[in-house]
Amino acid sequence: MATLLYRLGRFAFRRRHFTALFWVALLALAGVGAAGAPVAGNTSFSIPGTEAQKAFDVLEERFPGASADGATARVVFKAPAGEKMTDAGNKAIVRDTVEELSDGSEVARVTDPYQGGDVSRDGTVAYASVSYQVSGMELEESSRDSLEDAAEGARDAGLTVEIGGDALQAVPETGATEIIGIGVAAVVLVITFGSLVAAGLPLLTALIGVGIGVAGITALASTLELGSTTSILATMIGLAVGIDYALFIVSRYRAELAEGREREDAAGRAVGTAGSAVVFAGLTVVIALVGLSVVNIPMLTKMGIAAAVTVAIAVLIALTMVPALLGYAGRRVRAAGEKGKRRGREDEEKGNGTAKEKARRPNMGTRWARFVVRRPVAVLLLGVVGLGAAAIPASSLELGLPDDGSQPTSTTQRRAYDLLSEGFGPGFNGPLVVVVDAKNSDDPDAVFRQTGDDIKALDDVVSVSPAAPNKAGDTATITVVPDSKPSSVATEDLVHDIRDAGTGVKADTGADVLVTGATAMNIDVSQKLNDALVPYLTLVVGLAFLLLIVVFRSILVPLKAALGFLLSVMAALGAVVAVFQWGWLSGLMGVEETGPVMSMMPIFMVGVVFGLAMDYEVFLVTRMREAYVHGEKPDEAVVTGFRHGARVVSAAAVIMMAVFAGFIGSSESMVKMIGFGLAIAVFFDAFVVRMAIVPAVLALLGKKAWWLPKWLDRALPNVDVEGEGLRTEGDADAGEKGGSPDDRDLARV
């Protein structure tokens, strides 16, 4: 592989005009497609295989035209102090508002609170339900404006009015902190390379890659039903890995220049060595993201595949466009250490020591590696104990999906949620919809009554509505209001109790009793994600383990990499629980409301963090493997790997943390949580696991770290990540006769 990538790098360097034009044209094509694409259609959250989804499908079939997947809004009214909503004046205001709401072109129906009994017992709170013909993401802005205008009119008349529901759902915004994250990345690159041109290359190529990926997602959003969060996730991961992959190529290029190679040869060798690491690191990220399809949640699968495609684009750009831009940059990208050598000569002239003496001084990475090699047990224990302590909050992990109760108190959705809790009880914000399918029953009406009576006898039930049958009379819905809030354990227990009662009804009458609604759907999603976690871990870690065996030609190094990942991801989950569930440093992170951690966070974090963790493992340990293969002792190889890779890996980690942390400013709670979780996970994995635990373990293992059974060594393909085949490649190319160099490299590729 190293030889093939070497030739690809040289070809891209020589044919830089063609390479750059290809990627710019692809970006323009994707941009045109995005600009002309229709607005994304229905992005409903379907969960195949769950009871809540089955009930939802029955509703769509048996209640045609009910717009079961349409957006909903609850307009909540509260009377002024000393008044009631049943007063004649307040009634008139509410009915005028209901009439105004009914005029919307996308409105399916509006309920009058006085006809439906939607007034609290003390008479201070009432609400009108608005159902729309389209989903929240499809709803036109004019419909949202009409909803808010109607509410504002009632406010002007003297009532307190707030709006809840998904009708006000908007495209999430990431805020200015995303730009700050990119700015931090730029500063780190300038410090690392000491050159604006060299620092600009990774940023430019990463932005082009993300631009192509996000534009492609936008262009296909309507066709593939991709949500707005998909493009944000692709941007988050694409930026981080795109900058990192380009950073490693440029860094290796400067190191090759420092060894006296010509620029074209240096570009080829950079792609052949660091590029091999980029390919395998990218593969681990892609495996982790595509593996999310194991969960069988369409939205999560689409998010993972879209992000994986963006990562693949980042890999291809790093292998081709980076060497092309290095060709354009010419001498403006200097060899590594050239600036230090110039300063050394100046110091020598001033009598401050010779340049050779300064060159021999170990850098910080070398000093740290030597320290770890001398005290591996102490470093290993300190790292493991520290991560273990950070992981302790994860034992209190509570999972759930966000509702209006998790919104900031400054939003009208949250204030509507609080008003409904005040007037009707906390469970009113999460009603359960029980679907009774009595199509195979002899007496559907009797089944409906029996089901309602059985539910009334359960604990934690405030009210049970009369059964509302469809036109055929074979299916009915029953609305159950719990006594506890939607995200509580008591409400979850009630859902299971209703389903257990439904099993008895089915045994007696043959009718199916299904529980759905947002609360039941959340419970089913959490269960589905929990059930999928072990198979997902097995698949992703197993495939990546096999891949790393091929890369490192070792059993213990990949095993150590996987165990280190588990430490970092558990510590990161502990940090997420501490901030978003316990409220530690919540003000600093902009978390206005604590609550359960998002259900998909653990499995999503496992997938993404595993891929990113393997990035640093591949980049750092391949340098050690390269030194060991070339004859150095195990301890010396560890030090050599840190001398060449520690600074660059540290810079890459800081950049990735900055990019992820930039998304903490998002208005979308899921994006905010993912941004924080990934940023803290990168910190734990890069600076604790890869920089401390990994060298400590390798120092303790010695030669055993690189042991591989002979039969397996013969069976595995030789991918040559260390670039052993490049030792004579440059000389061989220089001695070739006939044909242009461009044509020779192109034919090889």
Side-chain angles (χ1 to χ4, degrees), residues 314-338:
V315 171
L316 293 174
I317 284 184
L319 299 178
T320 57
M321 193 167 186
V322 169
L325 293 180
L326 289 172
Y328 283 119
R331 296 185 178 277
R332 282 170 289 188
V333 177
R334 297 190 298 267
E338 184 177 308

Side-chain angles (χ1 to χ4, degrees), residues 36 90 148 161 184 194 235 240 324 338 403 462-463 506 628 650 690 739:
N90 293 334
E148 292 175 342
V161 186
V184 171
T235 302
E338 184 177 308
D403 55 20
V462 172
S463 66
K506 183 176 178 63
Y628 179 76
S650 298
R690 309 303 153 190

